[in-house]
Amino acid sequence: MLTSLKRFLIGRPLKSNEAGEHKLNKLKALAILSSDALSSVAYGTEQILLVLVTFGTVAFWYSLPIAIGVLVLLLALILSYRQIIFSYPHGGGAYVVSKENLGVNYGLVAGGSLLVDYILTVAVSVSAGTDAITSAFPALHTHNVAIAVVLVILITILNLRGLTESASILAYPVYLFVVALIIMIGVGLYHIATGGVPASAHTPVGTPVAGLTLFLLLRAFASGCSALTGVEAISNAIPNFKEPQPNNAAKTLIMMGSLLAVLFTGVTFLAYWYGIAPKVEETVVSQIAAETFGRNYMYYFIQGTTALILVLAANTGYSAFPLLAYNLAADKFMPRMYTMRGDRLGYSNGIITLGIGSIILIVAFRGQTENLIPLYAVGVFIPFTLSQTGMILKWLREKPKGWILKLTANLIGALITLTVLIIFFVTKFTQVWSVLIFLPLIILLFHRIHRHYKDVGDQLRLESEHPPLAIEGNVIIVPVAGMTRVVENSLNYARTLSDQVIAVYVAFDRQEERRFEEKWEQWQPDIRLVTLHSQYRSIIQPLTKFIDTAQHKAKESNYWVTVLIPQFITKKNWHNILHNQSSLLIRAYLLYKRNVVVTTVPYRFKK
Amino acid sequence: MLTSLKRFLIGRPLKSNEAGEHKLNKLKALAILSSDALSSVAYGTEQILLVLVTFGTVAFWYSLPIAIGVLVLLLALILSYRQIIFSYPHGGGAYVVSKENLGVNYGLVAGGSLLVDYILTVAVSVSAGTDAITSAFPALHTHNVAIAVVLVILITILNLRGLTESASILAYPVYLFVVALIIMIGVGLYHIATGGVPASAHTPVGTPVAGLTLFLLLRAFASGCSALTGVEAISNAIPNFKEPQPNNAAKTLIMMGSLLAVLFTGVTFLAYWYGIAPKVEETVVSQIAAETFGRNYMYYFIQGTTALILVLAANTGYSAFPLLAYNLAADKFMPRMYTMRGDRLGYSNGIITLGIGSIILIVAFRGQTENLIPLYAVGVFIPFTLSQTGMILKWLREKPKGWILKLTANLIGALITLTVLIIFFVTKFTQVWSVLIFLPLIILLFHRIHRHYKDVGDQLRLESEHPPLAIEGNVIIVPVAGMTRVVENSLNYARTLSDQVIAVYVAFDRQEERRFEEKWEQWQPDIRLVTLHSQYRSIIQPLTKFIDTAQHKAKESNYWVTVLIPQFITKKNWHNILHNQSSLLIRAYLLYKRNVVVTTVPYRFKK
C-alpha cells in the first residue's frame, strides 16, 4: 500500500540509463534555476528605499547610483561565474572552487553556508509567497503556517518526481512573471516618455541630502544586494544541463543576468520617477503596478505572478541543495545516502532533507521568516567571496591566455562581495551573528563525519600481511523456550551446521527446571541441554552470561559461537503483540553488545 | 542510563522468592483497597439530592429512605462478596465467578466491563481530585489536564515500585479521611443533640411531595448507588493478602462495609438535618463541614483529605486491574505479557496499560470526566449482577449446608443490582449507550486473541506421526557489497558451515560488474560469485529474486538456504546514520516475507 502511494505521488521508478532524458534545455533551465534570482526583483528595490527613506523622500534619487552599483556587482558576478562554469564543467559552485583553490576548510565554509542557505531560501521564499497569497485572501491568514507547509510538501513531491517534470509545471509562472514585469516597465516608460507622469513626483538627481554618510549609502547598497541572491544556482547545477553542458549553462547564465539587470533597473527607475516611498502595507512593485495600470486586471496579473514566483524561488534550492549535498557526500563530508539516486533519478535524500529542514524553520518561526533575510544574504555572500578569491588564486597559479583580464574580473568581484559582507556584519550584526555559531559547528560535524568514513575505510581495507585467524569450528547455542515444533525445527537445522549444539533453557523456578530436564532427556537425548536459573525473571541476563563463558572457551580453540534463535512469524501483523518479542531483544543485544553471530530461523504459522 | 533511571524510579529488582514479603496485612489492605469505595461518600449523597432538588427542598426527606435502600444494597453486596471470598479463595471477582457458574461469555462480559471500568475509575477519580486541588488554588486551573496526567504518572510509578511500598504512602490519607469524617459526623450529631441546629432547617419526614413518582425515586436511588462502586475490589485482590487469605480478606471487607455504612449514613443524615441543597460551586460535604465547624482549619482539613482520597481512589484500580488482566491472560483472552511479573514483582504491564489508558481518557476529555460517572457505575453493576447470579446457580447446584440462607442473600443482591442496572439504562441511556458498543467489541477481541493462542498451540505441538523432513545440507548465500575485511570475515565463517557458499553482488552498471568479477576471481577463487544487475538501483529486488530461485532449487534436494549478512557494528551510535542500513532492511524482508534463515555476522569497528 505504501508502495502504491509512493507510485501515485512520484511516478514509476526510472532505469539508471534513462538519466540522460531528464536533462534540461536552456529555456527550461532558465525557468528552473533563475526563479530565485528573478524573484529578488520583487524586493530588491524596496530594500534600498527602506534605508534611504530615513532621510526623507529627498534621498530617493540615490537609489539610481546604488542600483548602478548593484548592476556592476551583478556584472562582476555573472562574468566571474561564467569563468567558473568553463573552469569547472562538472558542476563548480562555491564548494568545489573554494576547496580546490583555497583548501578543504574554505570549501567546507562555502559548502556549509550554502547548505544552510538553501534551507533558508525555501523557508523565506515560501513564507513570502504565502503572505502574498493570504494578503489577497485575508480569510486564510490564520492558516499561514499550514499553507506554507503544504506548499513545501507540494514542491518536494514535484522535485521527487524528477527535474524536467517539475520544470514543465514550474516554468510557466517564471515566464509569466518576466513577461508581466517587462510589460509593466514598457508601459511605465511609455507614460513617462509621453509626459504622462509629472516630473514633480521625484526630486532631481543630485539634490543634496543632509546627514547621508558613505557608510549609510553602503548599507543601502548592501540591502540592495539581496536582489543578487540566487545567481550562483546555475554554476552548481551544470550536471543537470543538456550537452554541451558548460556552453548551455553559460548562455543560460547570461540570459538570466540580462533579465535580472533589465527588470531590476526598470523597477528601480520607475520607483524613482513615480516618487514611490516604501509602505508597510503595500510593496513597491504593487505601487508601481497600481500607478502604471490602475487597479485593473493587469495589476492583479502582476501581483499574482509575483506571489507565484516567490513560492517557486524555493525551487532553486531544490535544484542546488541535493547536488551540493551530493558533492559533499562524495567527498565523505556528509552521509553517504546523499549520493544515492531515488526512483526518479533525483537525489531524493537531499530533496527530502531540504523539505524537512525548511518545514522545521517555517513552523519554528511561525511563518514569520522575514528576519531571516539578512542571514540568508550573508549565507550567499560568504561563498560568493570565497569562490571569487579561489578563482583569483587559480588564475595566478595557472596563468592561461588572457589571465589578467580574467583575474581583474574576479578581483573586482571579490572586493565588492567582501565589502558587502563586511557591511552586513557591521550594520546588521544583531541579525547575522548566529552564522558565527552554526557555521563552525557545521564544519566540525563535516570533519567528524569525514574522520569516521576514513576510519571505516582503514578498517575495511584488506590486509595481506595479517590474514585473519582460521576458524576451526562452530559451537551453536540454541535458546529454547519449550518443547515445540519451532524448537524442533531449529534444532534440526543446527545439527546440519555443527556437531556441537547446546540448547539453553532459562527456568524461573527449580521444580520447573528439573521437570524440563527430565522431559528433554527423552525428547532430544543427543543434544546437550543447559538449564539456567533466573531469580529476577529475566531471560537475557543469564543467557548472555552463559554465552560470554561459551565464547571465552571457544576462542581458545579458534571456535566461533553462533546463537541460533527460533522465531515464529505470525500470519497477521497484529498477532505480534500477543507474543513477547524477546527474540528481537535478544538478537539486538547479542549483535550490538556482544559481537556474537546470530542466526534467526523463521517458523511461519499457517493460521 | 535508561536502566539507572528505572532503578531510581521503581527501585532495585526483587527476586521471585521475595514475593511473600509483599503481601498486605488487614489494615494496609483496608487502606489500599477501599479508597475507591470510601471516596464515593464524597459524592454519593450529593447524587441523590441532585435528583430530588428538582422537586424543591421539600423532597429532601426522601434522601433518608433512599439511603436506607442503598444501605440494604450495601449489606447484600457485602454478604454476597463475603461468600465469594470463601468460595473463591484464590481471587474471585466477577470474572472468575461468572465464568465458572454462568459460562465463558458471561465471564468475559464481567471481565471486559471491569477492565474498562478500572480505567474509568482512574480517569474519573484523578480528574475529580485535581478539580478539588485547583478549586483551592485557582491559579492552577488552566493546568488541570497536566496536573491530572502528572498525578496518574506518579501513582503508576508508586504501583510499579510494588504493593506494600505504595500502601505505606497511600494508607495515611485514607485513615485521615476516615478520621476527619467521623469527627465531622460526631460534632454534627452533638450539635443536633444539644439543640444547636434548629429543626426548621429541614422539612419533616413524611411531608407529601407533588409529582414525585416511584420511577424518579428509583432514579435517585440509582444515583445514590454510585456510592457503592469499589466494593468488589477486595474480592478481586485476595492473592495480595497475607495468610490466611480468605479470612483476612473477609474481615477487611466487613470493616470496609461498616465504615462505608457509617460515613454514608452520617453524611446523608447531616445533609438532611442541616437542610443542605446541592450547589454547583460547592460540594455537599463542603457545606456540611462549613456548617459544622465554620471555615476554620477543620474545614480545610476535611476538604484536603477529601481531595487526597479522590486522587487515591485511583489506586484501587491499580490493585485490581493488573490481577484481572492476569486472570484473563492466564485464560488466554489477553496478551501473554499481562502474566509477567516486573522487577518489583507487580504485574507491570497491567499497571502501565492502566496508566496509559487513563491518561488517554483524561487528555481526550480534557479533564472533564464527570460525564463518564454513569458509564462507570454501569460498568460496575454489570459484573455485580453477573457474579451474584453466578453465586445463585452455584448454591442451587452444590446445595451446601445452610444454602437457602446463602442463596437468599445472593438472590436479593442480584435482584437489586439488576434493577439498578435497568434503571440506569432506562433513565440515563444517553450517557451509557456506548457500553452496548464497546463491550461486544471487547468480547470479540478476547475471542480473537483466544483463537490465535489456540491456533499457535496447535501448530507448536509436536507431532510424532509426521516428523519433519530431514535436512540434507545447506546452501549459504552471502550478499557482498565490496571486497573488504567485513566480507572476508563473513566468507571465512560461511566456509565452516557448508561447502556450498555463493557470494552475490548487485551491480548498478555493466562496467563495474565486469571489473568486480575480475577482481573477485583473484581474491576468492574458491567461492562462486553471482553478479546481478539492477536497473532500478535497488538491492533487495534482484537479491530476493535470486534467493527465491535458489530456495526453489534447494528444496528439491532437501537443502536449506541460509542468507548470511555481514553487518558492521559502529563504535558510536550516531555513526549508524552515516551508513545505509540496508542490511537491516534485507534481514527483515527475508525473514518476514520470504521465510529464509538469516544469519548476521557482526564486524565491530574499533574506532
Side-chain angles (χ1 to χ4, degrees), chain A residues 387-456:
Chain A
S387 56
Q388 309 244 22
T389 313
M391 290 305 285
I392 295 172
L393 291 188
K394 185 184 168 79
W395 302 138
L396 282 177
R397 208 168 41 236
E398 297 181 1
K399 299 202 172 81
K401 218 181 85 184
W403 64 276
I404 296 198
L405 205 69
K406 292 177 175 178
L407 184 137
T408 312
N410 286 126
L411 188 64
I412 294 170
L415 287 175
I416 304 179
T417 49
L418 182 66
T419 312
V420 173
L421 201 54
I422 292 170
I423 295 170
F424 262 112
F425 269 104
V426 171
T427 60
K428 304 192 171 185
F429 187 74
T430 51
Q431 288 172 293
V432 301
W433 59 270
S434 58
V435 171
L436 301 177
I437 308 286
F438 70 71
L439 212 47
L441 284 180
I442 290 173
I443 311 293
L444 186 70
L445 184 64
F446 283 157
H447 277 295
R448 292 286 295 272
I449 291 173
H450 193 73
R451 166 97 164 277
H452 172 71
Y453 279 128
K454 203 182 145 291
D455 287 347
V456 167

Side-chain angles (χ1 to χ4, degrees), chain A residues 23-79:
Chain A
K23 300 291 181 183
L24 297 168
N25 64 31
K26 289 195 290 288
L27 212 58
K28 276 195 178 174
L30 180 66
I32 207 167
L33 295 170
S34 63
S35 51
D36 183 16
L38 294 179
S39 70
S40 313
V41 171
Y43 51 80
T45 306
E46 187 157 359
Q47 295 285 324
I48 299 175
L49 293 179
L50 275 170
V51 179
L52 295 177
V53 79
T54 48
F55 301 94
T57 49
V58 73
F60 283 175
W61 70 267
Y62 272 108
S63 65
L64 297 184
I66 288 171
I68 291 168
V70 173
L71 286 177
V72 170
L73 175 55
L74 174 63
L75 185 69
L77 282 176
I78 296 289
L79 288 179

Side-chain angles (χ1 to χ4, degrees), chain A residues 105-250:
Chain A
N105 277 318
Y106 290 96
L108 294 181
V109 170
S113 77
L114 275 178
L115 274 187
V116 175
D117 221 59
Y118 291 130
I119 300 177
L120 288 170
T121 310
V122 174
V124 170
S125 321
V126 173
S127 301
T130 308
D131 281 343
I133 294 169
T134 56
S135 300
F137 306 98
L140 295 174
H141 201 77
T142 49
H143 304 295
N144 252 4
V145 172
I147 293 172
V149 169
V150 168
L151 285 173
V152 172
I153 292 171
L154 276 179
I155 298 173
T156 305
I157 290 173
L158 281 178
N159 277 281
L160 286 174
R161 290 192 76 94
L163 265 185
T164 32
E165 282 196 51
S166 327
S168 313
I169 296 180
L170 304 177
Y172 302 112
V174 179
Y175 302 146
L176 287 179
F177 174 76
V178 171
V179 169
L181 254 68
I182 286 178
I183 292 176
M184 181 181 83
I185 292 166
V187 173
L189 291 178
Y190 175 79
H191 282 325
I192 291 168
T194 56
V197 186
S200 60
H202 58 268
T203 46
V205 173
T207 315
V209 180
L212 189 61
T213 60
L214 180 67
F215 178 79
L216 286 163
L217 274 181
L218 283 175
R219 191 176 169 185
F221 168 69
S223 298
C225 288
S226 62
L228 299 182
T229 56
V231 295
E232 80 292 352
I234 289 175
S235 72
N236 288 329
I238 308 177
N240 288 341
F241 278 85
K242 283 214 168 122
E243 297 285 354
Q245 292 176 334
N247 294 37
N248 282 331

Side-chain angles (χ1 to χ4, degrees), chain A residues 267-504:
Chain A
V267 169
T268 308
F269 179 73
L270 287 183
Y272 160 68
W273 197 270
Y274 289 163
I276 282 166
K279 289 185 198 169
V280 175
E281 68 281 357
E282 194 178 2
T283 63
V284 167
V285 171
S286 163
Q287 292 182 61
I288 297 175
E291 193 81 27
T292 310
F293 302 108
R295 293 201 171 246
N296 63 2
Y297 67 96
M298 266 309 289
Y299 168 80
Y300 286 105
F301 180 59
I302 285 175
Q303 285 303 95
T305 52
T306 307
L308 258 181
I309 203 173
L310 279 170
V311 172
L312 291 186
N315 204 56
T316 308
Y318 279 92
S319 316
F321 184 98
L323 279 169
L324 178 56
Y326 171 86
N327 279 323
L328 282 162
D331 289 346
K332 306 195 182 214
F333 289 107
M334 278 180 71
R336 199 176 298 164
M337 61 174 178
Y338 291 106
T339 63
M340 309 278 164
R341 284 181 186 277
D343 279 353
R344 302 286 288 186
L345 300 169
Y347 296 109
S348 323
N349 291 318
I351 294 171
I352 292 167
T353 306
L354 179 59
I356 292 173
S358 49
I359 286 176
I360 290 173
L361 277 182
I362 290 171
V363 173
F365 286 84
R366 305 199 173 187
Q368 321 251 288
T369 47
E370 301 83 26
N371 289 329
L372 297 175
I373 290 180
L375 205 61
Y376 157 48
V378 165
V380 180
F381 276 89
I382 290 175
F384 275 2
T385 311
L386 285 173
S387 56
Q388 309 244 22
T389 313
M391 290 305 285
I392 295 172
L393 291 188
K394 185 184 168 79
W395 302 138
L396 282 177
R397 208 168 41 236
E398 297 181 1
K399 299 202 172 81
K401 218 181 85 184
W403 64 276
I404 296 198
L405 205 69
K406 292 177 175 178
L407 184 137
T408 312
N410 286 126
L411 188 64
I412 294 170
L415 287 175
I416 304 179
T417 49
L418 182 66
T419 312
V420 173
L421 201 54
I422 292 170
I423 295 170
F424 262 112
F425 269 104
V426 171
T427 60
K428 304 192 171 185
F429 187 74
T430 51
Q431 288 172 293
V432 301
W433 59 270
S434 58
V435 171
L436 301 177
I437 308 286
F438 70 71
L439 212 47
L441 284 180
I442 290 173
I443 311 293
L444 186 70
L445 184 64
F446 283 157
H447 277 295
R448 292 286 295 272
I449 291 173
H450 193 73
R451 166 97 164 277
H452 172 71
Y453 279 128
K454 203 182 145 291
D455 287 347
V456 167
D458 290 347
Q459 292 174 83
L460 288 180
R461 203 165 300 120
L462 295 166
E463 289 183 351
S464 40
E465 305 112 62
H466 304 93
L469 283 174
I471 305 172
E472 299 291 339
N474 288 290
V475 179
I476 310 227
I477 297 177
V478 188
V480 299
M483 280 170 260
T484 62
R485 266 197 264 175
V486 178
V487 172
E488 188 179 40
N489 184 54
S490 307
L491 291 176
N492 288 342
Y493 172 73
R495 275 195 194 94
T496 66
L497 299 182
S498 166
D499 301 328
Q500 302 208 36
V501 179
I502 306 173
V504 182

Side-chain angles (χ1 to χ4, degrees), chain B residues 58-171:
Chain B
V58 74
F60 282 175
W61 68 268
Y62 272 110
S63 65
L64 297 185
I66 289 171
I68 292 169
V70 172
L71 287 177
V72 169
L73 174 55
L74 174 63
L75 186 70
L77 282 175
I78 296 290
L79 289 179
S80 166
Y81 272 109
R82 196 173 162 273
Q83 295 181 163
I84 290 176
I85 286 171
F86 286 107
S87 303
Y88 295 92
H90 298 301
Y95 166 62
V96 177
V97 176
S98 309
K99 188 187 70 175
E100 297 208 348
N101 296 300
L102 301 172
V104 169
N105 277 318
Y106 290 96
L108 293 180
V109 170
S113 78
L114 275 178
L115 274 187
V116 175
D117 221 59
Y118 292 131
I119 300 176
L120 288 170
T121 309
V122 175
V124 170
S125 320
V126 172
S127 302
T130 308
D131 282 343
I133 294 169
T134 56
S135 301
F137 307 99
L140 296 173
H141 202 78
T142 49
H143 303 296
N144 253 5
V145 172
I147 292 171
V149 169
V150 168
L151 286 172
V152 172
I153 292 172
L154 277 179
I155 299 173
T156 304
I157 290 172
L158 281 177
N159 277 281
L160 287 173
R161 289 190 77 93
L163 265 185
T164 34
E165 283 196 52
S166 326
S168 312
I169 297 181
L170 303 178

Side-chain angles (χ1 to χ4, degrees), chain A residues 452-453 460 493 562 578-579, chain B residues 452-453 485 493 562 578-579:
Chain A
H452 172 71
Y453 279 128
L460 288 180
Y493 172 73
T562 301
L578 301 180
H579 302 282
Chain B
H452 172 71
Y453 280 128
R485 268 198 264 174
Y493 173 73
T562 300
L578 301 180
H579 301 283

